[in-house]
């Protein structure tokens, strides 16, 4: 098989080059060949040597030969792979009934009440869909309807989904997926971009103000600013908390709404709060969630301030056959059970602190590590050619990623240059997993960093 790397996936982090398939184990080669024959366009595998899994538990995945891999990458199985409580709840519901929101479902109302109780009381209306893309699509439809505006502001390398509408404000999808003329880009909140004598609050305020001015100059009234609360695709920027207050003030002053995309940062992933926006002391107008809310089942959500969505609801019909159906709702309720009963937020906070502290200690003298950053179990390690120039080193980052994979630990890359290690495990990641990760990373760092 010759290499078929395309423009569409040229920037995709740590992608597998199909031109190297002949060096893989025979079974993997056969499956990849079959995959190429039957799957549609746009798919890609990751790692120089792709890996196949047949089972999982907690923060672990097991391949067909019985090898245990530590999963430090996959956030969708939020409370852990094959969590028994979630699996049992889904199986029980599958043997009972699966109906949609056109029928009375007490379990749906119970779930909505429980989920909304984790938000500020002003955020009190929930709509359910099937994916983060759908959630962000609906959120933007409501934002446009409520404000009468079309302008959208996102960060420079943001990812918010794959529908045609959401792809138009997801710059990380690359040149083959053009941005809308109504979309403006701003910096991610990287404190290193702040001019001497200024603050991150003021830098971000100026970025948003400039984007609003340019939209208006081209005839677009602001509809919304949407940010991923961990800036996952931009390179993971979680700190310092607080700068979002200035940003939201500017958005509201221009008549727009603030949409907090919690698909990756929500459900206690950042450790010190259930939701990423809470760390900044701001109240979003709309919050979106994705498949982690059902531990990987097709459920997503949009939470609104009532005054933002009421007029839309009176004038536009929104129904999703599977959004809010019985089985995904059972999974969502089970995830909330686990978060409460296992004290997940505290576990994330403690193990995230230990993980970042260990990474900083291992890399403190490395000329190739610019920064270890993040919160909770969402960590970025920025790999550069030189600490002084901060020139990105994607090749070295991918060497580290693949060395970790060879030692059976899964991570990946992120950022505009794909040179930041993305460490984002299921929230079942425990102290033993932290120890295993750090011991393995120290081995790789000794050779590479």
């Amino acid at each position: 098989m010759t290499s078929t790397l395309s423009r569409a996936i040229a920037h995709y982090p740590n992608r597998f080059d199909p031109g190297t398939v002949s060096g893989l184990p025979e079974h993997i080669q056969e499956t990849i060949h079959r995959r190429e024959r039957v799957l549609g366009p746009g798919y890609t595998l990751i790692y120089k040597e792709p890996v196949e899994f047949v089972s999982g538990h907690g923060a672990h995945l097991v391949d067909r030969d019985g090898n245990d891999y530590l999963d430090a990458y996959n956030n969708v199985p939020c409370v852990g792979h094959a969590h028994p409580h979630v699996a049992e709840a889904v199986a029980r519901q599958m043997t009972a009934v699966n109906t949609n929101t056109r029928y009375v479902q007490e379990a749906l109302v119970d779930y909505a009440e429980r989920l909304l109780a984790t938000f500020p009381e002003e955020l009190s209306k929930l709509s359910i869909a099937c994916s983060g893309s759908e959630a962000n699509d609906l959120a933007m439809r409501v934002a446009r309807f409520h404000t009468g505006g079309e302008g959208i502001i996102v960060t420079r390398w943001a990812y918010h989904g794959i529908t045609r509408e959401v792809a138009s404000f997801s710059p990380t999808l690359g040149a083959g997926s053009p941005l809308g003329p109504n979309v403006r880009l701003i910096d991610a909140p990287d404190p290193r971009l702040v001019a001497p004598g200024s603050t991150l609050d003021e830098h971000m305020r100026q970025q948003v103000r400039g984007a609003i001015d340019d939209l208006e100059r081209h005839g677009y009234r602001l509809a919304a600013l949407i940010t991923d609360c961990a800036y996952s695709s931009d390179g993971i920027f979680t700190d310092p908390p607080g700068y979002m207050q200035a940003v939201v003030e500017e958005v509201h002053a221009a008549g727009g709404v603030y949409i907090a995309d919690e698909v990756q940062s929500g459900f206690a992933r950042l450790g010190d709060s259930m939701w990423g926006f809470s760390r900044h002391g701001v109240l979003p107008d709309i919050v979106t969630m994705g498949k982690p809310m059902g531990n990987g089942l097709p459920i997503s959500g949009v939470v609104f301030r009532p005054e933002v969505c009421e007029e839309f609801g009176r004038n536009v019909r929104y129904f999703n056959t599977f959004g809010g159906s019985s089985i995904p709702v059972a999974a969502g309720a089970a995830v909330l059970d686990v978060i409460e009963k296992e004290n997940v937020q505290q576990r994330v906070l403690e193990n995230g602190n230990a993980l970042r502290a260990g990474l900083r200690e291992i890399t403190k003298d490395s000329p190739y590590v610019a920064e270890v950053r993040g919160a909770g179990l969402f960590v970025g390690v920025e790999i550069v050619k030189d600490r002084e120039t901060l020139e990105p080193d994607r090749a070295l980052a991918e060497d580290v990623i693949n060395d970790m994979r060879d030692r059976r630990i899964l991570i990946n890359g992120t950022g505009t240059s794909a040179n930041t290690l993305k460490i984002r495990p299921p929230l079942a990641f425990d102290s033993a997993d932290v120890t295993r990760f750090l011991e393995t990373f120290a081995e790789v760092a000794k050779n590479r960093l």
Side-chain angles (χ1 to χ4, degrees), residues 4-13 15-16 40-45 157 159 162 170-178 394:
T4 58
L5 290 178
S6 68
R7 180 183 182 215
I9 64 168
H11 192 84
Y12 195 86
R15 63 186 181 267
F16 167 65
Y43 291 98
T44 186
L45 293 163
W157 206 241
Y159 173 76
I162 56 172
S170 292
T172 192
L173 292 176
S177 182
R394 174 174 179 164

Side-chain angles (χ1 to χ4, degrees), residues 3 9 12 21 27 48 80-81 86 92 124 153 216 220 261 265 271 308 312 320 333 340 363 370 384 412 422:
S3 177
I9 64 168
Y12 195 86
V21 69
H27 169 75
K48 289 182 180 177
H81 293 283
V86 179
R92 183 173 62 247
S124 59
I153 302 173
E216 291 176 349
Y220 295 107
D261 182 338
S265 59
V308 172
F312 180 89
N320 186 320
E340 294 167 5
T363 61
V384 294
N412 208 353
K422 188 180 201 178

Side-chain angles (χ1 to χ4, degrees), residues 9 38 48 73 91 143 145 153 161 190 244 259 295 301 334 337 343 356 362 396 399-400 445:
I9 64 168
V38 299
K48 289 182 180 177
Y73 176 60
F145 193 96
I153 302 173
D190 183 349
M244 281 301 299
I259 303 172
N295 218 45
D337 291 342
N343 199 9
R356 290 192 309 283
I362 291 167
L396 180 56
D399 285 340
V400 172

Side-chain angles (χ1 to χ4, degrees), residues 329-409:
V329 165
V335 167
L336 292 183
D337 291 342
V338 174
I339 288 174
E340 294 167 5
K341 292 176 181 178
E342 295 186 7
N343 199 9
V344 166
Q345 185 175 326
Q346 185 62 30
R347 182 171 71 210
V348 169
L349 184 63
E350 293 174 358
N351 290 316
N353 287 342
L355 179 61
R356 290 192 309 283
L359 287 168
R360 286 175 179 140
E361 179 63 26
I362 291 167
T363 61
K364 64 182 181 181
D365 297 322
S366 172
Y368 308 116
V369 176
E371 199 168 44
V372 174
R373 53 182 178 259
L377 287 175
F378 212 144
V379 182
V381 181
E382 186 178 353
I383 307 298
V384 294
K385 294 183 178 179
D386 182 88
R387 264 188 179 177
E388 298 301 317
T389 65
L390 297 181
E391 182 182 352
D393 195 334
R394 174 174 179 164
L396 180 56
E398 293 192 351
D399 285 340
V400 172
I401 291 165
N402 284 286
D403 283 358
M404 293 290 283
R405 175 256 179 268
D406 292 344
R407 290 165 173 79
R408 301 191 182 128
I409 293 185

Side-chain angles (χ1 to χ4, degrees), residues 146-160:
H146 175 68
T147 64
E150 293 287 325
I152 300 169
I153 302 173
V154 296
T155 51
R156 298 197 187 281
W157 206 241
Y159 173 76
H160 295 290

Side-chain angles (χ1 to χ4, degrees), residues 271-333:
D272 47 11
S273 60
M274 183 71 166
W275 305 108
F277 67 81
S278 299
R279 304 175 74 244
H280 297 283
V282 296
L283 178 68
D285 301 289
I286 305 174
V287 179
T288 59
M289 299 158 285
K291 288 180 284 295
M293 68 191 289
N295 218 45
L297 267 74
I299 181 171
S300 65
V302 189
V303 175
F304 304 95
R305 290 194 297 112
E307 57 269 32
V308 172
C309 67
E310 281 174 355
E311 191 68 19
F312 180 89
R314 282 194 290 266
N315 289 276
V316 181
R317 186 178 72 181
Y318 179 79
F319 172 73
N320 186 320
T321 304
F322 294 106
S325 58
S326 311
I327 292 171
V329 165

Side-chain angles (χ1 to χ4, degrees), residues 168-221:
S168 77
F169 56 87
S170 292
T172 192
L173 292 176
S177 182
L179 299 178
N182 60 320
V183 176
R184 296 297 181 273
L185 307 183
I186 62 171
D187 293 337
D190 183 349
R192 297 170 299 186
L193 299 177
V194 177
S198 187
T199 64
L200 184 59
D201 301 46
E202 188 57 30
H203 174 77
M204 295 304 294
R205 184 191 292 273
Q206 290 174 358
Q207 288 279 305
V208 172
R209 182 68 259 168
I212 292 169
D213 289 345
D214 194 57
L215 284 167
E216 291 176 349
R217 188 176 300 115
H218 289 84
Y220 295 107
R221 179 180 176 185

